[in-house]
Coordinates of all heavy atoms in Angstrom, one line a residue:
L153 N -50.4 -88.9 149.4 CA -50.4 -90.2 150.1 C -50.1 -91.4 149.4 O -49.3 -92.3 149.7 CB -51.6 -90.3 151.1 CG -51.7 -89.2 152.1 CD1 -53.1 -89.3 152.8 CD2 -50.7 -89.4 153.3
Y154 N -50.7 -91.5 148.2 CA -50.5 -92.6 147.3 C -49.0 -92.6 146.8 O -48.5 -93.7 146.5 CB -51.5 -92.5 146.2 CG -52.9 -93.2 146.7 CD1 -54.0 -92.3 146.5 CD2 -53.0 -94.3 147.2 CE1 -55.3 -92.7 146.9 CE2 -54.3 -94.8 147.7 CZ -55.4 -94.0 147.5 OH -56.6 -94.5 147.9
K155 N -48.5 -91.4 146.6 CA -47.1 -91.4 146.1 C -46.2 -92.1 147.2 O -45.3 -92.8 146.8 CB -46.6 -89.9 145.8 CG -47.1 -89.4 144.6 CD -46.6 -88.0 144.3 CE -47.0 -87.4 143.0 NZ -46.5 -86.0 142.8
I156 N -46.4 -91.7 148.5 CA -45.6 -92.4 149.5 C -46.0 -93.9 149.5 O -44.8 -94.7 149.6 CB -46.1 -91.8 151.0 CG1 -45.7 -90.3 151.0 CG2 -45.4 -92.6 152.1 CD1 -46.3 -89.6 152.2
L157 N -47.1 -94.3 149.4 CA -47.4 -95.7 149.3 C -46.8 -96.4 148.2 O -46.2 -97.6 148.3 CB -48.9 -96.0 149.3 CG -49.7 -95.8 150.5 CD1 -51.2 -95.7 150.3 CD2 -49.4 -96.9 151.5
L158 N -46.6 -95.9 146.9 CA -46.1 -96.4 145.8 C -44.5 -96.4 146.0 O -43.8 -97.1 145.2 CB -46.6 -95.7 144.6 CG -48.0 -96.1 144.2 CD1 -48.4 -95.2 143.2 CD2 -48.1 -97.6 143.7
Q159 N -43.9 -95.5 146.8 CA -42.5 -95.5 147.0 C -42.2 -96.7 147.9 O -41.2 -97.4 147.7 CB -42.0 -94.2 147.7 CG -42.0 -93.0 146.8 CD -41.8 -91.7 147.5 OE1 -41.7 -91.7 148.8 NE2 -41.5 -90.6 146.8
I160 N -43.1 -96.9 148.9 CA -42.9 -98.1 149.7 C -43.1 -99.4 149.1 O -42.2 -100.3 149.1 CB -43.9 -98.1 150.9 CG1 -43.7 -96.8 151.8 CG2 -43.8 -99.3 151.7 CD1 -44.7 -96.6 152.8
N161 N -44.0 -99.4 148.1 CA -44.3 -100.7 147.3 C -44.7 -100.3 146.0 O -45.9 -100.0 145.6 CB -45.3 -101.6 148.0 CG -45.7 -102.8 147.2 OD1 -45.0 -103.2 146.3 ND2 -46.7 -103.4 147.6
P162 N -43.8 -100.3 144.9 CA -44.1 -99.8 143.6 C -45.2 -100.8 142.9 O -45.7 -100.4 141.9 CB -42.8 -99.9 142.9 CG -41.7 -99.8 144.0 CD -42.4 -100.4 145.2
D163 N -45.2 -102.0 143.5 CA -46.1 -103.0 142.9 C -47.7 -103.0 143.5 O -48.3 -103.8 143.3 CB -45.6 -104.5 142.9 CG -44.3 -104.6 142.3 OD1 -44.2 -104.0 141.2 OD2 -43.4 -105.3 142.7
D164 N -47.8 -101.9 144.2 CA -49.1 -101.8 144.9 C -50.2 -101.4 143.9 O -50.3 -100.2 143.6 CB -49.0 -100.7 146.0 CG -50.3 -100.4 146.8 OD1 -51.4 -101.0 146.3 OD2 -50.3 -99.7 147.7
L165 N -50.9 -102.4 143.2 CA -51.8 -101.9 142.2 C -53.1 -101.2 142.6 O -53.5 -100.4 141.9 CB -52.2 -103.3 141.5 CG -51.2 -104.1 140.7 CD1 -51.8 -105.4 140.1 CD2 -50.4 -103.1 139.7
E166 N -53.4 -101.5 143.9 CA -54.6 -100.7 144.3 C -54.3 -99.2 144.4 O -55.1 -98.4 143.8 CB -55.0 -101.2 145.8 CG -55.3 -102.5 145.9 CD -55.4 -103.1 147.3 OE1 -55.5 -102.2 148.2 OE2 -55.3 -104.3 147.6
S167 N -53.1 -98.8 144.9 CA -52.8 -97.4 144.9 C -52.5 -96.8 143.6 O -52.9 -95.7 143.3 CB -51.6 -97.3 145.8 OG -51.7 -97.7 147.3
R168 N -52.0 -97.7 142.7 CA -51.7 -97.1 141.4 C -52.9 -96.9 140.6 O -53.0 -95.8 139.8 CB -50.9 -98.2 140.6 CG -50.4 -97.7 139.2 CD -49.3 -98.5 138.7 NE -48.9 -98.0 137.4 CZ -47.9 -98.6 136.7 NH1 -47.3 -99.8 137.1 NH2 -47.6 -98.0 135.4
W169 N -54.1 -97.6 140.8 CA -55.4 -97.3 140.1 C -55.9 -96.0 140.8 O -56.4 -95.1 140.0 CB -56.2 -98.5 140.3 CG -57.7 -98.2 139.8 CD1 -58.7 -97.8 140.7 CD2 -58.2 -98.2 138.5 NE1 -59.8 -97.5 139.8 CE2 -59.5 -97.8 138.6 CE3 -57.7 -98.6 137.3 CZ2 -60.4 -97.7 137.4 CZ3 -58.5 -98.3 136.2 CH2 -59.8 -98.0 136.3
L170 N -55.9 -96.0 142.1 CA -56.5 -94.9 142.8 C -55.9 -93.6 142.5 O -56.5 -92.6 142.4 CB -56.7 -95.2 144.2 CG -57.7 -96.4 144.5 CD1 -57.5 -96.9 146.0 CD2 -59.1 -95.9 144.3
I171 N -54.5 -93.6 142.5 CA -53.9 -92.3 142.1 C -54.0 -91.9 140.8 O -54.2 -90.6 140.6 CB -52.4 -92.4 142.4 CG1 -51.7 -91.0 142.7 CG2 -51.6 -93.3 141.4 CD1 -50.3 -91.1 143.1
N172 N -54.3 -92.6 139.9 CA -54.6 -92.3 138.5 C -56.1 -91.7 138.4 O -56.3 -90.6 137.8 CB -54.6 -93.5 137.6 CG -53.1 -93.6 136.9 OD1 -52.8 -93.2 136.0 ND2 -52.3 -94.5 137.8
V173 N -57.0 -92.3 139.3 CA -58.3 -91.7 139.3 C -58.2 -90.3 140.1 O -58.9 -89.4 139.6 CB -59.3 -92.6 140.0 CG1 -60.6 -92.0 140.3 CG2 -59.4 -94.0 139.3
A174 N -57.4 -90.2 141.1 CA -57.3 -89.0 141.7 C -56.8 -87.8 140.8 O -57.3 -86.7 140.9 CB -56.4 -89.0 143.0
Y175 N -55.8 -88.2 140.0 CA -55.3 -87.1 139.0 C -56.4 -86.7 138.0 O -56.4 -85.6 137.5 CB -54.1 -87.8 138.1 CG -52.8 -87.5 138.9 CD1 -52.1 -88.6 139.5 CD2 -52.1 -86.2 138.9 CE1 -50.8 -88.3 140.2 CE2 -51.0 -86.0 139.5 CZ -50.3 -87.1 140.1 OH -49.0 -86.8 140.7
M176 N -57.4 -87.7 137.7 CA -58.4 -87.4 136.9 C -59.2 -86.2 137.5 O -59.8 -85.3 136.8 CB -59.3 -88.6 136.6 CG -58.7 -89.5 135.4 SD -59.9 -90.9 135.2 CE -58.9 -91.9 134.1
T177 N -59.5 -86.4 138.8 CA -60.4 -85.6 139.4 C -59.9 -84.3 139.6 O -60.6 -83.2 139.8 CB -60.7 -86.1 140.9 OG1 -59.6 -86.1 141.8 CG2 -61.3 -87.3 140.9
T178 N -58.5 -84.0 139.5 CA -57.9 -82.6 139.4 C -57.7 -82.1 138.1 O -57.2 -81.0 137.9 CB -56.5 -82.7 140.2 OG1 -55.7 -83.6 139.5 CG2 -56.8 -83.2 141.6
G179 N -58.0 -83.0 137.0 CA -57.9 -82.5 135.7 C -56.5 -82.6 135.1 O -56.1 -82.0 134.1
E180 N -55.6 -83.6 135.8 CA -54.3 -83.6 135.5 C -54.0 -84.9 134.9 O -52.6 -85.2 134.6 CB -53.4 -83.4 136.7 CG -53.5 -82.1 137.3 CD -52.8 -82.0 138.6 OE1 -53.3 -82.4 139.7 OE2 -51.6 -81.4 138.7
Y181 N -54.9 -85.8 134.5 CA -54.6 -87.0 133.9 C -54.7 -86.9 132.3 O -55.6 -86.2 131.8 CB -55.6 -88.1 134.3 CG -55.4 -89.4 133.6 CD1 -54.6 -90.4 134.0 CD2 -56.1 -89.7 132.3 CE1 -54.4 -91.6 133.5 CE2 -55.7 -90.9 131.7 CZ -55.0 -91.9 132.1 OH -54.7 -93.0 131.5
P182 N -53.8 -87.4 131.6 CA -52.6 -88.2 131.9 C -51.4 -87.3 132.1 O -50.3 -87.7 132.5 CB -52.4 -89.1 130.8 CG -52.9 -88.3 129.7 CD -54.0 -87.4 130.1
Q183 N -51.4 -85.9 131.7 CA -50.4 -85.2 131.4 C -49.4 -84.9 132.6 O -48.2 -84.8 132.4 CB -50.7 -83.7 130.9 CG -51.5 -82.9 131.7 CD -53.0 -83.2 131.8 OE1 -53.4 -84.1 131.3 NE2 -53.7 -82.3 132.4
N184 N -49.9 -84.9 133.8 CA -49.1 -84.7 135.0 C -48.8 -85.9 135.9 O -48.3 -85.8 136.9 CB -49.7 -83.5 135.8 CG -49.7 -82.2 135.2 OD1 -48.9 -82.0 134.2 ND2 -50.6 -81.3 135.6
V185 N -49.3 -87.0 135.4 CA -49.1 -88.2 136.1 C -47.7 -88.8 135.9 O -47.3 -88.9 134.8 CB -50.1 -89.4 135.8 CG1 -49.9 -90.7 136.6 CG2 -51.5 -88.9 135.9
P186 N -46.8 -89.0 137.0 CA -45.4 -89.5 136.7 C -45.6 -90.8 135.9 O -46.4 -91.6 136.2 CB -45.0 -89.8 138.3 CG -45.8 -88.9 139.1 CD -47.1 -88.7 138.4
K187 N -44.6 -90.9 135.1 CA -44.6 -92.0 134.2 C -44.5 -93.3 134.8 O -45.1 -94.3 134.2 CB -43.4 -91.9 133.2 CG -43.6 -90.7 132.1 CD -42.4 -90.6 131.1 CE -42.6 -89.5 130.2 NZ -41.7 -89.5 129.2
N188 N -43.9 -93.4 135.8 CA -43.8 -94.7 136.5 C -44.9 -95.2 137.3 O -45.1 -96.3 137.6 CB -42.5 -94.7 137.7 CG -42.7 -93.8 138.7 OD1 -43.2 -92.5 138.5 ND2 -42.5 -94.1 139.9
I189 N -46.0 -94.4 137.4 CA -47.2 -94.8 138.0 C -48.4 -94.5 137.0 O -49.5 -94.8 137.5 CB -47.6 -94.0 139.4 CG1 -47.5 -92.5 139.1 CG2 -46.4 -94.3 140.4 CD1 -47.9 -91.7 140.3
L190 N -48.2 -94.0 135.8 CA -49.3 -93.9 135.0 C -49.9 -95.1 134.5 O -49.1 -96.0 134.1 CB -48.7 -92.9 133.7 CG -49.7 -92.7 132.6 CD1 -50.9 -91.9 133.0 CD2 -49.1 -92.1 131.4
L191 N -51.2 -95.2 134.4 CA -51.8 -96.2 133.7 C -52.3 -95.6 132.4 O -53.3 -95.0 132.5 CB -53.0 -96.7 134.7 CG -52.7 -97.3 135.8 CD1 -54.0 -97.9 136.6 CD2 -51.9 -98.7 135.6
P192 N -51.8 -95.9 131.3 CA -52.1 -95.1 130.0 C -53.3 -95.6 129.5 O -53.8 -96.7 129.9 CB -50.8 -95.4 129.2 CG -50.3 -96.7 129.7 CD -50.6 -96.7 131.2
G193 N -54.0 -94.8 128.7 CA -55.1 -95.1 127.9 C -56.5 -95.3 128.7 O -57.4 -95.7 128.1
L194 N -56.5 -94.8 129.9 CA -57.8 -94.9 130.7 C -58.9 -94.0 130.1 O -60.1 -94.2 130.5 CB -57.5 -94.7 132.2 CG -56.6 -95.6 132.9 CD1 -56.5 -95.3 134.4 CD2 -57.1 -96.9 132.8
N195 N -58.5 -93.1 129.3 CA -59.5 -92.2 128.9 C -59.7 -92.2 127.5 O -60.4 -91.4 126.7 CB -59.0 -90.6 129.1 CG -57.7 -90.3 128.6 OD1 -57.0 -91.3 128.1 ND2 -57.4 -89.1 128.5
S196 N -59.3 -93.4 126.8 CA -59.3 -93.6 125.3 C -60.4 -94.7 125.0 O -60.7 -95.6 125.8 CB -58.0 -93.9 124.7 OG -57.6 -95.2 125.2
T197 N -61.0 -94.6 123.9 CA -61.9 -95.5 123.3 C -61.8 -95.7 121.7 O -61.5 -94.6 121.1 CB -63.3 -95.2 123.8 OG1 -64.2 -96.4 123.2 CG2 -63.8 -93.9 123.2
N198 N -62.1 -96.9 121.2 CA -62.1 -97.0 119.9 C -63.4 -97.0 119.2 O -63.6 -97.0 118.1 CB -61.4 -98.3 119.5 CG -59.9 -98.5 119.8 OD1 -59.3 -97.4 119.6 ND2 -59.4 -99.6 120.3
V199 N -64.4 -96.7 120.2 CA -65.9 -96.8 119.7 C -66.2 -95.4 119.2 O -66.1 -94.4 119.9 CB -66.8 -97.1 120.9 CG1 -68.2 -97.1 120.5 CG2 -66.5 -98.6 121.4
T200 N -66.8 -95.4 118.0 CA -67.1 -94.2 117.4 C -68.6 -93.9 117.0 O -69.0 -92.9 116.7 CB -66.3 -93.9 116.0 OG1 -66.5 -95.1 115.2 CG2 -64.8 -93.9 116.3

């Protein structure tokens, strides 16, 4: 459903955040997230 919404409005930031979270819940972030909707670096940290 979020893919449909982002086709209708590619600038829909709400849907873009939520689809990235949804991909995380399926274990597919970031590798299977389409590049045009990927929010990169959500799983990275510089804190050691």
